[in-house]
């Protein structure tokens, strides 16, 4: 029992978002406690493919693109600062493919608006695609290269970030589920834990898909979106490849990661062999060399998805309580900018205009 625990900031949730926020807040001189229900980065962060891109299927220009672009630009410095030098950072760009008329229209339109926004993007013929990635011999109508996009392996990144957070002096409480955000009047005063609270005048709620249940007295509509993936041992493409049904990302250790489903089934953590077969089959249709590759790992994660699909970052109706969640399919990509904005707000009361449409109060 440690009733006396205090911090300047208590961060709830040790996924990539909570870890990045804790690290940035500590870097700016605050005493930080990070409260994690289990072990850090074993939920959605563990499951992620690791695409670091400023756009995605069906997206258009807008605040999310601006935020992603800023985070992508910050990534190399972020990796250096946290000492994450072995994360398979691949900055050779990302490919996307379209295999039917609807997807060709989407990809063509995406390349067009990205180009107008001065974001590097170029359409490729199937032959140009194969010249870049000879393993992509499956049928493709058209493709695109996004040279500014990158990919990495989120697992070593999260491990490096956890190490950086600990070395910087953040108190990391593992196996410590937060039972409540403690509020006095309309002010956050700490976080309730089974063995006594952590008292803190500022709380950052970064518990991913589990945030809704911890929001004290206001609506935080974030739910899980289940994603199942698998890894095969094979010779994969050098660059990550995106397609409407999923993604193919080669890892430095010789595995190729294939994903992912998007399922609205609550917190059902069951891994379904049929879903994994579909994920594998979709990827093998594009890269036939993956067809007979042995599946060496299957896993799933719960993406935190808000009611409108956009991140939820910023101050709440409870004074001193800041939320950082709802990153959905983009939490790895958005971690650096989320941490920067949360720390700007907590340390200096600064609220970047980019965040204006993304605050939690939009749901009230
Ligand atoms: C299959 C899949 C593929 C993905 N691919 C990509 C990708 O390529 N690129 C990309 O940018 N993003 C991707 N994502 C999305 C990305 O993984 C998430 O957006 C990101 O990990 C969210 O991070 P988080 O820290 O908010 O949540 P999480 O990583 O889920 O972390 C939340 C943490 O909070 C903890 N927690 C929960 N409740 C409590 C409590 N009561 N007390 C204390 N701790 C608590 C949990 O244990 C967990 O550690 C993918 C996700 C999935 C599932």
């Amino acid at each position: 029992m440690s009733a006396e625990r205090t911090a300047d900031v208590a961060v709830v949730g040790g996924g990539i978002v909570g870890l990045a926020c804790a690290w940035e807040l500590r870097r700016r001189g605050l005493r930080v406690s990070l409260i994690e229900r289990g072990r850090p980065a074993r939920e959605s962060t563990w499951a992620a493919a690791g695409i670091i891109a400023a756009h995605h299927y069906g997206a258009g220009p807008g605040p999310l693109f601006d935020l992603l672009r800023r985070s992508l630009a910050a990534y190399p410095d972020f990796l250096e600062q946290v000492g994450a030098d072995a994360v398979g950072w691949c900055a050779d760009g990302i490919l996307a493919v379209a295999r039917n008329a609807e997807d060709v229209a989407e990809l063509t339109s995406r390349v067009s608006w990205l180009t107008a926004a001065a974001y590097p993007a170029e359409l490729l013929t199937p032959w140009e695609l194969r010249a870049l990635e000879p393993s992509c011999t499956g049928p493709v109508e058209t493709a695109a290269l996004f040279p500014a996009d990158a990919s990495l392996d989120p697992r070593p990144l999260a491990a490096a970030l956890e190490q950086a957070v600990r070395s910087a002096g953040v108190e990391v409480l593992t196996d410590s589920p937060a039972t409540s955000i403690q509020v006095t009047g309309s002010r956050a005063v700490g976080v309730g834990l089974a063995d006594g609270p952590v008292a803190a005048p500022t709380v950052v709620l970064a518990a991913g898909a589990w945030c809704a249940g911890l929001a004290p007295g206001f609506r935080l509509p974030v739910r899980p979106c289940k994603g199942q993936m698998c890894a095969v041992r094979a010779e994969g493409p050098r660059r990550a490849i995106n397609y409407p049904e999923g993604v193919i990302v080669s890892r430095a250790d010789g595995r190729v990661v294939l994903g992912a489903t998007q399922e609205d089934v609550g917190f059902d953590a069951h891994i379904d062999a049929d879903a994994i077969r579909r994920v594998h089959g979709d990827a093998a249709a594009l890269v036939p060399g993956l067809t007979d590759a042995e599946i060496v790992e299957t896993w799933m994660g719960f993406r935190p998805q808000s009611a409108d699909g956009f991140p939820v970052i910023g101050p709440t109706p409870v004074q001193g309580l800041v939320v950082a969640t709802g990153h959905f399919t983009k939490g790895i990509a958005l971690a650096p900018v989320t941490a920067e904005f949360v720390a700007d707000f907590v340390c200096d009361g600064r609220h970047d205009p980019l965040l204006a449409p993304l605050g939690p109060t939009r749901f009230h």
Side-chain angles (χ1 to χ4, degrees):
M1 171 84 181
S2 28
E4 300 302 313
R5 285 179 299 196
T6 62
D8 295 328
V9 187
V11 177
V12 179
I16 187 107
V17 174
L19 285 167
C21 289
W23 183 77
E24 183 61 30
L25 288 161
R26 179 68 197 130
R27 202 168 77 96
R28 299 197 194 185
L30 298 184
R31 282 187 312 125
V32 181
S33 288
L34 178 76
I35 296 160
E36 165 54 45
R37 182 183 59 179
R39 287 170 62 196
R42 289 292 161 149
E43 296 291 352
S44 192
T45 298
W46 182 258
I51 299 284
I52 310 296
H55 54 94
H56 55 275
Y57 185 86
L64 184 56
F65 169 64
D66 296 339
L67 205 62
L68 282 162
R69 191 175 190 174
R70 182 136 152 197
S71 208
L72 179 55
Y75 236 105
D77 278 354
F78 175 71
L79 293 178
E80 197 183 324
Q81 284 165 3
V82 303
D85 46 11
V87 298
W89 177 251
C90 173
D92 292 343
I94 283 182
L95 292 157
V97 300
R99 295 184 273 197
N100 59 45
E102 188 187 338
D103 295 343
V104 169
E106 190 282 334
L107 196 53
T108 309
S109 141
R110 193 168 8 141
V111 166
S112 160
W113 72 256
L114 285 169
T115 305
Y119 190 86
E122 56 183 286
L123 285 172
L124 304 176
T125 65
W127 298 275
E128 288 169 328
L129 170 68
R130 276 167 215 149
L132 279 179
E133 295 293 349
S135 61
C136 288
T137 54
V140 162
E141 290 288 325
T142 196
L145 173 65
F146 303 102
D149 293 346
S151 63
L152 52 68
D153 186 341
R155 295 178 187 179
L157 168 59
L161 196 47
E162 182 188 345
Q163 182 58 46
V165 155
R166 288 180 185 276
S167 306
V170 170
E171 181 191 34
V172 180
L173 304 175
T174 57
D175 301 311
S176 301
T179 51
S180 63
I181 309 296
Q182 300 191 319
V183 178
T184 299
S186 60
R187 264 217 73 91
V189 293
V191 177
L193 302 179
D195 62 350
V198 174
T202 303
V203 176
V204 176
L205 180 54
W210 295 268
C211 279
L214 286 166
F218 62 90
R219 187 169 166 262
L220 183 56
V222 175
R223 66 178 194 279
C225 172
K226 178 178 175 181
Q228 301 187 54
M229 297 193 75
C230 65
V232 296
R233 205 163 283 291
E235 183 83 18
R238 195 159 68 86
R239 294 173 186 79
I241 304 183
N242 248 319
Y243 43 98
E245 303 80 21
V247 70
I248 302 173
V249 189
S250 296
R251 298 280 194 241
D253 63 4
R255 294 180 316 139
V256 187
V257 166
L258 315 176
T261 63
Q262 288 200 9
E263 302 163 65
D264 189 5
V265 293
F267 288 106
D268 167 10
H270 172 70
I271 294 181
D272 166 20
D274 285 342
I276 296 294
R277 255 193 297 280
R278 268 197 309 280
V279 163
H280 188 189
D282 284 340
L286 180 64
V287 179
L290 299 175
T291 309
D292 296 322
E294 182 199 358
I295 295 181
V296 292
E297 188 188 349
T298 57
W299 67 91
M300 59 72 56
F302 296 117
R303 305 171 185 91
Q305 179 180 16
S306 73
D308 59 14
F310 290 102
V312 191
I313 306 168
T316 67
V318 175
Q319 228 186 322
L321 175 62
V322 177
V323 166
T325 187
H327 293 77
F328 194 27
T329 61
K330 300 282 169 209
I332 308 299
L334 287 169
V337 80
T338 301
E340 183 192 330
F341 284 170
V342 165
D344 283 351
F345 181 75
V346 169
C347 300
D348 307 321
R350 258 192 296 141
H351 202 195
D352 194 286
L354 267 183
L355 288 187
L358 301 175
T361 48
R362 73 183 186 270
F363 298 114
H364 302 150

